[in-house]
Amino acid sequence: MLRAIGGSVDWEENSPQSVEEWLAVAERYRGDARVLKNQKRFTSAWNAVGFAIECYLKAAIMRKLGLNRWPSKSERPELWVHETAELLRVLGVTFDGLGKHPVRYRLKTVLDWKRRHGYNPEAIPEKYAEQIYQDAFSSDGVVEWIAKSFHLPC
């Protein structure tokens, strides 16, 4: 439940606090992405995929760093971003480090997602929404790679 403080919501206090909570939010966005794609709401599907990947990456960060709670923004401001490239950097993942791993090409599509796309008045084309969805959620996609690489139960 969101807790209002002085008429506003304290998002920092309400962020997921465990790997399991980040994964639950990620799965919610994954389901939203599927429904929105099927309803041909491609811009919203694109955004839901991006947020899902962000949450999977934050779960991976918690696992890799051995965090027992999500740090506050003042403690770890680099974790309070919506940029997948920055979250991958925290995880120590680089394209060079991936070599010729097949996920490298799927990851490129996922890295094209930016939170600001949700504010664009022009719609995301169907082909882009389909591509990011497949690259993220297919059996050899980014989520599967994150799960295997960082020992997550996805």
Side-chain angles (χ1 to χ4, degrees):
M1 175 179 289
L2 296 177
R3 189 165 84 171
I5 303 203
S8 64
V9 175
D10 183 356
W11 293 107
E12 190 170 328
E13 188 167 308
N14 290 292
S15 67
Q17 293 297 307
S18 67
V19 169
E20 294 76 22
E21 288 180 5
W22 278 114
L23 292 175
V25 175
E27 287 297 317
R28 184 183 71 215
Y29 278 119
R30 183 179 188 161
D32 291 349
R34 182 184 63 254
V35 169
L36 291 163
K37 181 178 72 74
N38 291 341
Q39 292 177 349
K40 301 194 180 306
R41 296 180 55 202
F42 300 117
T43 299
S44 295
W46 169 272
N47 285 319
V49 171
F51 281 119
I53 295 298
E54 175 186 331
C55 293
Y56 286 117
L57 290 172
K58 288 181 176 181
I61 287 169
M62 284 197 75
R63 178 62 46 89
K64 181 175 182 177
L65 300 181
L67 301 174
N68 61 6
R69 66 171 176 76
W70 191 249
S72 70
K73 197 171 192 175
S74 61
E75 292 172 317
R76 298 290 302 264
E78 75 278 13
L79 300 182
W80 284 81
V81 297
H82 299 287
E83 299 296 326
T84 51
E86 286 300 310
L87 297 171
L88 285 168
R89 186 189 59 72
V90 171
L91 287 167
V93 175
T94 65
F95 273 96
D96 290 341
L98 289 172
K100 294 186 182 208
H101 193 290
V103 81
R104 178 184 173 128
Y105 305 101
R106 293 193 179 277
L107 195 56
K108 169 64 177 99
T109 304
V110 170
L111 288 172
D112 285 341
W113 177 83
K114 305 289 184 264
R115 183 178 187 196
R116 70 179 181 269
H117 294 156
Y119 302 111
N120 188 338
E122 294 184 29
I124 298 285
E126 178 179 0
K127 68 179 181 177
Y128 294 125
E130 288 285 350
Q131 189 66 54
I132 198 171
Y133 186 88
Q134 290 304 316
D135 287 346
F137 302 131
S138 66
S139 62
D140 61 345
V142 173
V143 169
E144 188 68 27
W145 171 78
I146 292 170
K148 286 180 183 173
S149 298
F150 299 98
H151 312 290
L152 298 174
C154 298

